[in-house]
Amino acid sequence: MIVIISNKVSEERIDEIVQHIEKHELQAHVSKGVDRTVIGIIGNAHPQLSEQLRQLSDVEQVVKISKSYKLASRDFHPLDTVIKIKDVEIGGEQLVIMGGPCAVESPQQIDEIARIVKAAGAQVLRGGAFKPRTGPYSFQGIGVEGLEMMAEAGKKHGLLTITEVMTPEYVDVCAEYADILQVGTRNMQNFDLLRKLGTIKTPVLLKRGFSSTYDEFLNAAEYILAGGNPNVMLCERGIRTFESYTRNTLDLAAVPALQSLSHLPVIADPSHGTGRRELVEPMSKAAVAAGANGLIVEMHTDPDNSMTGDGVQSLFPQQFAKLMQDLEQLAPLCGKSFDTKKDTIVV
Amino acid sequence: MIVIISNKVSEERIDEIVQHIEKHELQAHVSKGVDRTVIGIIGNAHPQLSEQLRQLSDVEQVVKISKSYKLASRDFHPLDTVIKIKDVEIGGEQLVIMGGPCAVESPQQIDEIARIVKAAGAQVLRGGAFKPRTGPYSFQGIGVEGLEMMAEAGKKHGLLTITEVMTPEYVDVCAEYADILQVGTRNMQNFDLLRKLGTIKTPVLLKRGFSSTYDEFLNAAEYILAGGNPNVMLCERGIRTFESYTRNTLDLAAVPALQSLSHLPVIADPSHGTGRRELVEPMSKAAVAAGANGLIVEMHTDPDNSMTGDGVQSLFPQQFAKLMQDLEQLAPLCGKSFDTKKDTIVV
Amino acid sequence: MIVIISNKVSEERIDEIVQHIEKHELQAHVSKGVDRTVIGIIGNAHPQLSEQLRQLSDVEQVVKISKSYKLASRDFHPLDTVIKIKDVEIGGEQLVIMGGPCAVESPQQIDEIARIVKAAGAQVLRGGAFKPRTGPYSFQGIGVEGLEMMAEAGKKHGLLTITEVMTPEYVDVCAEYADILQVGTRNMQNFDLLRKLGTIKTPVLLKRGFSSTYDEFLNAAEYILAGGNPNVMLCERGIRTFESYTRNTLDLAAVPALQSLSHLPVIADPSHGTGRRELVEPMSKAAVAAGANGLIVEMHTDPDNSMTGDGVQSLFPQQFAKLMQDLEQLAPLCGKSFDTKKDTIVV
Amino acid sequence: MIVIISNKVSEERIDEIVQHIEKHELQAHVSKGVDRTVIGIIGNAHPQLSEQLRQLSDVEQVVKISKSYKLASRDFHPLDTVIKIKDVEIGGEQLVIMGGPCAVESPQQIDEIARIVKAAGAQVLRGGAFKPRTGPYSFQGIGVEGLEMMAEAGKKHGLLTITEVMTPEYVDVCAEYADILQVGTRNMQNFDLLRKLGTIKTPVLLKRGFSSTYDEFLNAAEYILAGGNPNVMLCERGIRTFESYTRNTLDLAAVPALQSLSHLPVIADPSHGTGRRELVEPMSKAAVAAGANGLIVEMHTDPDNSMTGDGVQSLFPQQFAKLMQDLEQLAPLCGKSFDTKKDTIVV
């Protein structure tokens, strides 16, 4: 950590600040420059110290050199985290595809979609039972019943399942039915939810907040890791910018950047990341080329009548199957293997 | 609502879309233009209809004309909402000032600050017992004990109190101790929390998410209102932009804009809105000049040693008292009255 | 300047970097921390050095402590710059108001508007002869003729004039007719234009680029100052964010922030800053309360038929006159005086 | 075009607005809804009409249905534009790579880099002679001499050349030496420059402004096309967001989105788009997978000592050569061919 102080500040005050640092059993190296004095702090500083120093009244700037997260950082854990769930390995060589509707609507709907997802070669069935919606009058999901329907469809077709959990009190029931729990973009900093997810071992897919920095994203992951759950994957799903043609701006540089800062697997969401069906295919390929460990893609058998209104970003089954074929060719060029245990697809 | 369709789409398909609209007991006025056909929809459409129409595969664009929120809109409720708590009226002529530390730290700290807040002429004591922090290793607040300390200080000095609630399960205990519950920026779209707050009558100060639009903000308020709690105030606290000199960019146009779109009181937060002590005073005045119904301002007796690291944006007591004097002069020019039941300040 | 290097880098490489620094006749103070080595650089470094050091392959981060601009900074020039043009002083006690249409349309139009501007108590007439337009098919301004019309109207009514210049080759002709030259937001980093403006003495109002940081803004001013023209005023005119209800987000914290970083006068533009007529009045007051040295406000006698389409953000004459009356009351509370040499207004 | 008016507005006023529309020889279809009246406008409206209507005082909203640009739109020109320069075709099947240093520094430097660029299989040599720099004290390029050096290197090694032009008066000299002229991000809306480029036939690579929408970007292209120069390519080079880990956020969805809105070729710039050398390779691949017609990539033989400080985002020669090999494999999977007329590379 480095503390920068104007030279207009008195020597006595600088000494006080140095003593403040040394109280924490750290060393302070003082360099007097032309306009400013720089104090370099050496030793294992508590993460909160930078906050304390920043607010000292004569301190102009505090530069953190070490990161504020530990367990999530690659410095701390140099090897890739590979999360193994049944026969699927997320974070390793396998390119993992999660496909399915925005929301579970009925047993028939989710069963039919699961069949297509499996046939196309994907490994995970996605579907929401609890839906976070901007307004209170929109469809909010069908709740626990939806969890049951999806679990059954997943079991029948040999797919893992992932579903979103929105509040601490539903973590246990969601974990009972689903293999992976998703934290949505609006809840990335719902710290009580993150803390609760730290107390279980079910893998968590944490979506980036739509205006969160990489640093905040990894700090949110740190909440779960610090609680004792090491099974966290990061999901880039687009950030909010001034561009309104796309629903969000998919920040694909986040894929290699997060993989360099952290050891956790990185999944991309081209559906929410663009909000437009015709952009899902090119951005899925781009995400794989950028090195993503997997994709989470919306697909619906009847997107015109999806209950959430997200049909506009859902692929048709044929498009999903075609995308999977393309990814099968692309994956090996990107250091990934594509799971070939797929059935013949009959759409 | 208006639906726009390319003229490349067949007549039959357009007829289908018209029938889809008429099924909802709405009228569809079709206008055929040079390149596109426009369908104007007349009648009381369900808010979800626009989502359904947007995803129809040949629909190019859906333009919502009516707003997606109702109870929060000024169309629905033309007169200003005035929230009366004891002798304080928020949303009326009175300029309401909420002052206090970022976090409650000890009985002595909050008592001393409450004394200064009261003496300066403010009406509400702010202070956090549960703190949302970016990383898990930062100080997370002292919890229920803090609620007790603040309630006592408020009572002793004749101040209302406001505190943040982060998760549904703590709503009841926070409402037991505080007069106003605050929803922080990270929780603006924590829908389970909003729903829970809709079930009580305690006034809620809802902070704008740091990258939320006015529309999303008012939809979040709608969740609380729709649940049955009419006592909602909106708080502009700065949005996230590319500028990093300030912690956030305080969007003061939100004050008159929200007052025009909605009947709810609008409070400004110049402390989080700038993140820099020296900008709090000019931006407080600017917020009042823009028409804010009140301010929420951080003040600390020892900001150099505040436990949250937010001291850098906290006023010193003398600065807070001086600001109150300035606002007393400014308020009448902005159509507001300033509460003068203040004691002699002895800092 | 501070250079941060990982401790995984060899001692020899660190020595090389130190020698690289010392070659520039600077001192390098090396502090070895737990994970990283920090080199503090002391002496008067060339601004370009930080760029050179940042690209050295083992350098992790370079922290600039001194600012990259000099002449624009308050460190270099502690007293406020006051630009005197005839009897108007911009940057001093006087609150300076620039009013007028988006574009000069005819001699009658600009004469009538000038009369109203003067009568309301403003000091400067604004009006565009060359208009930067998003598309090539929009009205592009009437050119040099417009300059003549405005100069005449200004002279007749005793007003200074300000107009936009878009390209170096028109600087001289614009300076011949107008008292102040405006650089628009799209040209803030049109460096050839800035360099040309540095060669004359005509005062320049430099608008902030719509996604420029304070640092880039002051560096753009530095181009003009470094060329030899000290008469620069900064104009905050709103930045681009995700919010689309307003045309831009007026960043009023820029007013006190820029005044603290720089000695140059700061003018606010609530018309472009909001893009909505009904927000111009509250944001004008807010800007003055935040400490602005002046305002530039669009007003039109027939905004429904303005040629640029900016009528939607132009005040009607009565609104302009009323705003001036309000500002006359507000100014003294904000440490400013309001020029009272106004005629009786007859709109 | 659709005009939306509140039903609080009188019938007479609505009639006036209808007459205003009909004066332009257009038809107005009026639909009266519950709260609002909608006027659909049919006929070939002048692009400026929407601006005029928007400012009518009782108009609430104007929705443009047709685009404001014509020549740049795919509706107008359904087939891809292919720009042929000597034996290179940009916009067709060929994947076009432009490589080279940020700035031309010396004849030896540019010659050596040209050799490597050619050997690796790229078709175009990039290099700046006039450099737009944030501050006036940074290296501003070596000017016309640099143009000469680059032209010579290009000729010797059989490469096309591309260089940036910053101001109208230098267009002719730049066009004399270079095969392609680049308009930088800061000049995307330098309309005098765009107009000048419309008067020549030299191909132009137009970079997206760092906070420009697709609509503004295509309108900027329209300036050049409308002037008579059909040879425009669009370059996505990253936009400005709150994320500061990367220099910009490369918006790869812009590639397929612009290709769908327009017929012009789209080039991606992963160097400026990320600002970090280690992200250039994954983002180059991602851009190609997203369907880019080409890439513009910075490479330097001695990035530690580049004169602009952009070395940090420049590839080393070996990295550039390796990237070209990877792209050669990737291109066919993305519907592109890779030029194989490359020499054996000897770095």
Side-chain angles (χ1 to χ4, degrees):
Chain A
M1 207 175 320
I2 294 164
V3 175
I4 300 166
I5 302 171
S6 164
N7 278 353
K8 293 178 192 150
V9 171
S10 70
E11 293 288 337
E12 290 71 34
R13 179 63 180 148
I14 293 178
D15 282 353
E16 274 174 42
I17 294 171
V18 166
Q19 284 160 27
H20 187 105
I21 292 162
E22 293 175 343
K23 265 194 308 190
H24 292 81
E25 302 189 12
L26 299 160
Q27 293 175 47
H29 281 208
V30 180
S31 312
K32 256 198 126 50
V34 180
D35 297 321
R36 284 168 181 83
T37 295
V38 170
I39 309 178
I41 299 178
I42 295 167
N44 274 309
H46 189 272
Q48 219 185 308
L49 181 65
S50 77
E51 296 169 4
Q52 280 180 22
L53 292 173
R54 191 175 298 117
Q55 69 188 347
L56 291 182
S57 18
D58 293 299
V59 165
E60 202 172 300
Q61 209 183 336
V62 175
V63 181
K64 276 201 285 187
I65 297 178
S66 304
K67 299 181 181 80
S68 50
Y69 48 88
K70 272 206 170 149
L71 306 178
S73 84
R74 200 172 271 282
D75 290 348
F76 174 82
H77 183 307
L79 293 184
D80 286 350
T81 280
V82 180
I83 300 174
K84 209 170 172 321
I85 319 174
K86 294 174 189 162
D87 59 340
V88 178
E89 293 192 349
I90 307 173
E93 273 202 10
Q94 207 175 7
L95 181 69
V96 176
I97 311 292
M98 308 177 183
C102 184
V104 180
E105 298 173 7
S106 71
Q108 294 72 33
Q109 176 238 26
I110 194 70
D111 177 72
E112 173 63 4
I113 290 177
R115 190 183 63 79
I116 298 164
V117 165
K118 179 66 179 182
Q123 303 96 335
V124 187
L125 177 64
R126 61 152 290 157
F130 300 96
K131 299 299 306 170
R133 305 309 302 277
T134 300
Y137 310 123
S138 297
F139 171 62
Q140 311 270 326
I142 58 174
V144 175
E145 265 186 290
L147 296 177
E148 288 167 10
M149 294 172 195
M150 189 164 59
E152 195 159 324
K155 205 169 151 189
K156 175 171 162 195
H157 295 283
L159 289 165
L160 300 183
T161 58
I162 176 170
T163 203
E164 177 161 352
V165 59
M166 288 169 60
T167 197
E169 77 176 286
Y170 279 90
V171 164
D172 291 330
V173 67
C174 288
E176 196 186 319
Y177 286 105
D179 297 300
I180 307 173
L181 299 185
Q182 174 183 319
V183 176
T185 189
R186 292 166 184 80
N187 282 316
M188 191 200 87
Q189 293 192 320
N190 182 337
F191 299 119
D192 285 284
L193 178 59
L194 302 179
R195 270 189 281 261
K196 173 73 184 171
L197 290 166
T199 65
I200 60 172
K201 296 289 180 213
T202 308
V204 175
L205 180 132
L206 178 67
K207 287 197 156 187
R208 181 180 180 190
F210 51 55
S211 65
S212 296
T213 60
Y214 303 159
D215 192 76
E216 290 168 340
F217 193 10
L218 291 168
N219 265 295
E222 188 82 4
Y223 265 94
I224 306 174
L225 299 171
N229 185 348
N231 302 312
V232 177
M233 41 200 123
L234 306 168
C235 178
E236 163 59 34
R237 49 78 67 205
I239 57 171
R240 183 157 280 189
T241 69
F242 57 85
E243 179 60 68
S244 60
Y245 180 83
T246 44
R247 182 174 178 179
N248 293 287
T249 296
L250 190 65
D251 173 17
L252 282 185
V255 173
L258 290 170
Q259 286 170 338
S260 134
L261 292 167
S262 177
H263 50 91
L264 299 171
V266 181
I267 307 296
D269 177 348
S271 305
H272 288 87
T274 64
R276 299 180 79 108
R277 182 183 296 139
E278 77 275 15
L279 298 178
V280 170
E281 179 246 321
M283 294 310 279
S284 292
K285 292 179 182 174
V288 171
N293 297 99
L295 301 176
I296 180 162
V297 177
E298 289 196 11
M299 184 264 281
H300 200 289
T301 44
D302 184 11
D304 276 13
N305 293 298
S306 101
M307 290 171 76
T308 58
D310 270 358
V312 72
Q313 69 190 32
S314 296
L315 295 182
F316 286 98
Q318 301 90 321
Q319 293 176 310
F320 185 79
K322 173 70 168 61
L323 175 61
M324 291 303 105
Q325 290 164 11
D326 289 354
L327 295 180
E328 189 169 355
Q329 292 200 281
L330 190 60
L333 290 188
C334 308
K336 293 284 184 305
S337 72
F338 190 84
D339 191 328
T340 55
K341 282 170 263 167
K342 61 177 183 248
D343 311 333
T344 317
I345 183 162
V346 186
V347 180
Chain B
M1 206 175 321
I2 293 164
V3 176
I4 299 166
I5 302 172
S6 166
N7 278 352
K8 293 176 191 151
V9 171
S10 71
E11 292 288 337
E12 291 70 35
R13 179 64 180 146
I14 293 178
D15 283 351
E16 274 174 43
I17 293 171
V18 166
Q19 284 160 27
H20 187 106
I21 292 163
E22 292 175 344
K23 265 193 308 190
H24 291 80
E25 302 188 14
L26 299 161
Q27 292 173 48
H29 281 208
V30 179
S31 311
K32 257 198 124 51
V34 180
D35 296 322
R36 283 168 182 83
T37 294
V38 171
I39 308 178
I41 298 177
I42 294 169
N44 274 309
H46 190 272
Q48 220 185 308
L49 182 66
S50 76
E51 295 170 5
Q52 280 180 22
L53 293 173
R54 191 175 298 116
Q55 69 188 347
L56 291 183
S57 17
D58 292 300
V59 166
E60 201 171 301
Q61 209 181 338
V62 174
V63 181
K64 277 200 284 187
I65 297 177
S66 304
K67 299 180 180 83
S68 50
Y69 48 88
K70 271 206 171 150
L71 306 178
S73 85
R74 199 172 272 281
D75 290 347
F76 174 82
H77 183 308
L79 294 184
D80 286 352
T81 281
V82 179
I83 300 172
K84 209 171 174 315
I85 320 175
K86 293 175 191 163
D87 59 340
V88 177
E89 293 192 349
I90 306 174
E93 274 203 7
Q94 207 176 7
L95 181 70
V96 175
I97 311 292
M98 309 175 182
C102 184
V104 180
E105 297 174 5
S106 71
Q108 293 73 35
Q109 176 237 27
I110 195 70
D111 176 73
E112 173 63 4
I113 290 177
R115 191 183 64 77
I116 297 163
V117 164
K118 179 67 179 180
Q123 303 96 334
V124 187
L125 178 65
R126 61 153 290 159
F130 300 96
K131 300 299 306 170
R133 307 307 304 278
T134 299
Y137 311 122
S138 297
F139 171 62
Q140 311 270 327
I142 59 174
V144 177
E145 264 186 291
L147 295 177
E148 289 167 12
M149 293 172 195
M150 190 165 59
E152 195 159 327
K155 205 169 152 190
K156 176 171 162 193
H157 295 284
L159 289 165
L160 300 181
T161 57
I162 176 171
T163 203
E164 177 161 354
V165 58
M166 288 169 60
T167 198
E169 77 176 286
Y170 278 91
V171 165
D172 291 330
V173 66
C174 287
E176 195 185 319
Y177 286 106
D179 297 299
I180 308 172
L181 299 185
Q182 174 184 316
V183 176
T185 191
R186 292 167 185 79
N187 281 316
M188 192 200 86
Q189 293 193 319
N190 182 335
F191 299 118
D192 286 284
L193 177 60
L194 301 179
R195 270 189 281 261
K196 173 74 184 170
L197 289 166
T199 66
I200 60 171
K201 295 291 181 212
T202 308
V204 175
L205 180 133
L206 178 66
K207 288 196 155 188
R208 180 181 181 189
F210 51 58
S211 65
S212 296
T213 60
Y214 302 159
D215 191 75
E216 290 168 339
F217 193 10
L218 291 168
N219 265 296
E222 188 82 3
Y223 266 94
I224 305 175
L225 298 170
N229 185 349
N231 302 311
V232 177
M233 42 200 124
L234 305 168
C235 178
E236 163 60 35
R237 49 76 70 204
I239 57 172
R240 182 158 282 189
T241 69
F242 57 83
E243 179 60 70
S244 60
Y245 180 83
T246 45
R247 182 173 176 179
N248 292 288
T249 296
L250 191 65
D251 172 16
L252 281 185
V255 173
L258 291 169
Q259 287 170 338
S260 134
L261 293 167
S262 177
H263 50 91
L264 300 171
V266 182
I267 308 297
D269 177 349
S271 305
H272 288 86
T274 63
R276 300 180 78 108
R277 183 183 295 138
E278 76 276 14
L279 299 179
V280 171
E281 179 247 321
M283 293 310 279
S284 292
K285 292 179 179 173
V288 171
N293 297 99
L295 300 176
I296 183 162
V297 177
E298 289 195 11
M299 184 263 282
H300 201 289
T301 44
D302 183 12
D304 276 14
N305 293 299
S306 101
M307 289 171 75
T308 58
D310 269 359
V312 71
Q313 70 191 30
S314 295
L315 295 182
F316 286 98
Q318 301 91 320
Q319 293 176 310
F320 185 78
K322 173 69 169 61
L323 174 61
M324 292 302 105
Q325 290 164 12
D326 290 353
L327 295 180
E328 189 168 356
Q329 293 199 280
L330 189 61
L333 289 188
C334 307
K336 293 283 184 305
S337 72
F338 191 84
D339 190 328
T340 56
K341 283 170 266 171
K342 61 177 185 250
D343 311 333
T344 319
I345 183 161
V346 186
V347 179
Chain C
M1 206 176 320
I2 294 164
V3 176
I4 299 167
I5 302 171
S6 165
N7 277 354
K8 293 177 191 151
V9 170
S10 71
E11 293 287 337
E12 290 71 34
R13 179 63 180 150
I14 293 177
D15 282 353
E16 274 174 42
I17 294 171
V18 166
Q19 283 160 28
H20 187 106
I21 292 162
E22 291 175 344
K23 266 193 307 190
H24 291 81
E25 303 190 13
L26 298 161
Q27 293 174 47
H29 280 209
V30 179
S31 312
K32 256 198 126 50
V34 180
D35 297 320
R36 284 168 181 82
T37 294
V38 171
I39 309 178
I41 300 177
I42 294 167
N44 275 309
H46 191 274
Q48 220 185 307
L49 181 64
S50 77
E51 296 168 4
Q52 280 179 22
L53 292 173
R54 191 174 299 117
Q55 70 188 346
L56 291 182
S57 19
D58 293 300
V59 166
E60 200 172 301
Q61 208 182 336
V62 174
V63 182
K64 277 201 284 188
I65 297 177
S66 304
K67 301 182 178 77
S68 50
Y69 48 88
K70 271 207 172 149
L71 306 178
S73 84
R74 200 172 270 283
D75 289 348
F76 173 81
H77 183 306
L79 293 184
D80 287 351
T81 280
V82 179
I83 301 172
K84 213 173 167 323
I85 320 173
K86 295 175 189 163
D87 59 341
V88 177
E89 293 191 349
I90 306 174
E93 273 202 8
Q94 208 175 5
L95 181 70
V96 175
I97 311 292
M98 311 176 180
C102 183
V104 180
E105 298 173 6
S106 72
Q108 295 72 32
Q109 176 237 26
I110 195 69
D111 177 72
E112 173 64 3
I113 289 177
R115 191 184 62 79
I116 297 164
V117 164
K118 179 66 180 181
Q123 303 97 334
V124 187
L125 178 65
R126 62 153 289 157
F130 301 96
K131 300 299 305 171
R133 306 308 303 278
T134 300
Y137 310 122
S138 297
F139 171 63
Q140 312 270 327
I142 58 175
V144 176
E145 265 186 290
L147 296 177
E148 289 167 11
M149 294 172 196
M150 189 163 60
E152 195 160 325
K155 205 169 152 191
K156 176 171 163 195
H157 295 282
L159 290 164
L160 301 181
T161 57
I162 176 170
T163 203
E164 177 160 353
V165 59
M166 287 169 61
T167 197
E169 78 177 287
Y170 278 91
V171 165
D172 291 329
V173 67
C174 288
E176 195 186 319
Y177 287 105
D179 298 299
I180 308 173
L181 299 183
Q182 175 183 314
V183 176
T185 190
R186 292 166 184 79
N187 281 317
M188 192 200 87
Q189 293 193 318
N190 182 335
F191 299 118
D192 284 284
L193 177 58
L194 300 179
R195 271 189 280 260
K196 173 72 185 170
L197 290 167
T199 65
I200 61 172
K201 295 288 180 213
T202 307
V204 176
L205 180 131
L206 178 65
K207 288 198 156 188
R208 181 181 180 188
F210 52 55
S211 64
S212 295
T213 60
Y214 303 159
D215 191 77
E216 289 167 341
F217 193 11
L218 291 167
N219 265 295
E222 188 83 3
Y223 266 94
I224 306 174
L225 299 170
N229 185 348
N231 301 313
V232 178
M233 41 201 124
L234 305 169
C235 179
E236 163 60 33
R237 48 77 68 205
I239 57 172
R240 183 157 280 188
T241 69
F242 57 83
E243 179 59 69
S244 60
Y245 180 84
T246 45
R247 183 173 178 179
N248 293 288
T249 296
L250 190 65
D251 173 17
L252 283 185
V255 173
L258 291 169
Q259 286 170 337
S260 133
L261 293 167
S262 175
H263 51 91
L264 299 171
V266 181
I267 308 296
D269 177 348
S271 305
H272 289 87
T274 64
R276 300 180 79 107
R277 183 184 294 138
E278 77 276 15
L279 298 179
V280 170
E281 179 247 321
M283 294 311 280
S284 293
K285 292 178 180 175
V288 171
N293 296 99
L295 300 176
I296 182 162
V297 177
E298 290 196 11
M299 185 262 283
H300 201 288
T301 45
D302 183 11
D304 276 14
N305 294 300
S306 102
M307 290 172 75
T308 57
D310 270 357
V312 72
Q313 69 190 31
S314 296
L315 294 182
F316 286 99
Q318 302 90 320
Q319 292 176 310
F320 186 79
K322 172 68 169 62
L323 174 61
M324 292 301 105
Q325 290 164 13
D326 290 353
L327 295 180
E328 188 169 356
Q329 292 200 280
L330 190 60
L333 290 188
C334 307
K336 293 283 183 306
S337 72
F338 190 85
D339 190 328
T340 56
K341 283 170 265 171
K342 61 176 184 252
D343 310 333
T344 317
I345 180 161
V346 186
V347 180
Chain D
M1 208 174 320
I2 293 165
V3 175
I4 298 166
I5 302 171
S6 165
N7 277 354
K8 293 177 191 152
V9 170
S10 71
E11 293 288 336
E12 291 71 35
R13 180 62 180 147
I14 292 178
D15 282 353
E16 275 174 42
I17 294 171
V18 166
Q19 284 160 28
H20 188 107
I21 292 163
E22 292 175 343
K23 267 194 307 190
H24 291 81
E25 303 190 11
L26 298 162
Q27 293 173 47
H29 280 207
V30 179
S31 313
K32 256 198 124 50
V34 180
D35 297 321
R36 283 168 182 83
T37 294
V38 170
I39 308 177
I41 299 177
I42 294 167
N44 274 310
H46 190 273
Q48 220 183 307
L49 182 64
S50 76
E51 295 169 5
Q52 280 179 24
L53 293 173
R54 192 175 297 117
Q55 69 188 347
L56 291 183
S57 16
D58 294 301
V59 166
E60 202 172 299
Q61 209 182 335
V62 175
V63 181
K64 278 200 284 188
I65 296 177
S66 304
K67 299 182 180 80
S68 50
Y69 47 89
K70 273 206 170 150
L71 306 178
S73 84
R74 198 172 273 281
D75 290 347
F76 174 83
H77 183 307
L79 293 185
D80 287 351
T81 281
V82 179
I83 301 172
K84 209 171 172 326
I85 319 174
K86 294 172 189 166
D87 59 340
V88 177
E89 293 192 349
I90 306 175
E93 272 203 9
Q94 207 176 7
L95 181 70
V96 175
I97 311 292
M98 310 176 180
C102 184
V104 180
E105 298 174 6
S106 72
Q108 294 72 34
Q109 176 238 25
I110 195 69
D111 176 73
E112 172 65 3
I113 290 177
R115 189 182 63 78
I116 297 165
V117 164
K118 180 65 179 181
Q123 303 96 335
V124 188
L125 177 65
R126 61 153 290 159
F130 300 96
K131 299 300 305 171
R133 306 308 304 276
T134 300
Y137 310 122
S138 297
F139 171 63
Q140 312 271 325
I142 59 175
V144 176
E145 265 186 291
L147 296 176
E148 289 167 12
M149 294 172 195
M150 190 164 60
E152 194 158 327
K155 205 169 152 190
K156 175 170 163 196
H157 296 282
L159 290 165
L160 301 182
T161 57
I162 176 170
T163 202
E164 177 160 352
V165 59
M166 287 169 61
T167 198
E169 78 177 286
Y170 278 91
V171 165
D172 291 329
V173 66
C174 288
E176 196 185 319
Y177 287 106
D179 297 298
I180 308 173
L181 298 184
Q182 173 182 317
V183 176
T185 190
R186 293 166 184 77
N187 281 318
M188 190 200 87
Q189 293 193 318
N190 183 335
F191 300 118
D192 285 284
L193 177 59
L194 300 179
R195 271 189 281 260
K196 174 72 185 169
L197 290 166
T199 66
I200 61 173
K201 296 288 180 213
T202 308
V204 176
L205 180 131
L206 178 65
K207 288 196 157 189
R208 181 181 181 189
F210 51 57
S211 65
S212 296
T213 60
Y214 303 159
D215 191 76
E216 290 168 340
F217 192 11
L218 291 167
N219 265 295
E222 188 82 5
Y223 265 94
I224 305 173
L225 299 170
N229 184 348
N231 302 312
V232 177
M233 42 200 123
L234 305 168
C235 178
E236 162 60 34
R237 48 75 71 204
I239 57 171
R240 183 159 281 189
T241 69
F242 57 85
E243 180 60 69
S244 60
Y245 180 83
T246 44
R247 183 173 176 179
N248 293 287
T249 296
L250 190 65
D251 173 18
L252 282 185
V255 173
L258 291 169
Q259 285 170 338
S260 135
L261 292 166
S262 177
H263 51 92
L264 300 171
V266 182
I267 307 296
D269 177 349
S271 304
H272 289 86
T274 63
R276 300 180 78 107
R277 182 184 295 139
E278 76 276 15
L279 298 178
V280 170
E281 178 247 323
M283 294 310 280
S284 292
K285 292 178 180 173
V288 171
N293 296 99
L295 300 176
I296 181 163
V297 177
E298 289 196 11
M299 184 264 282
H300 201 289
T301 44
D302 183 11
D304 277 12
N305 293 300
S306 102
M307 288 172 78
T308 58
D310 270 356
V312 71
Q313 69 190 30
S314 296
L315 294 182
F316 286 98
Q318 301 91 320
Q319 293 175 310
F320 185 79
K322 172 68 169 60
L323 174 61
M324 292 302 105
Q325 290 164 11
D326 290 352
L327 294 180
E328 188 169 356
Q329 293 199 281
L330 190 60
L333 289 188
C334 307
K336 294 283 182 306
S337 72
F338 191 83
D339 191 327
T340 55
K341 284 170 263 170
K342 61 177 187 249
D343 311 333
T344 316
I345 182 161
V346 186
V347 180

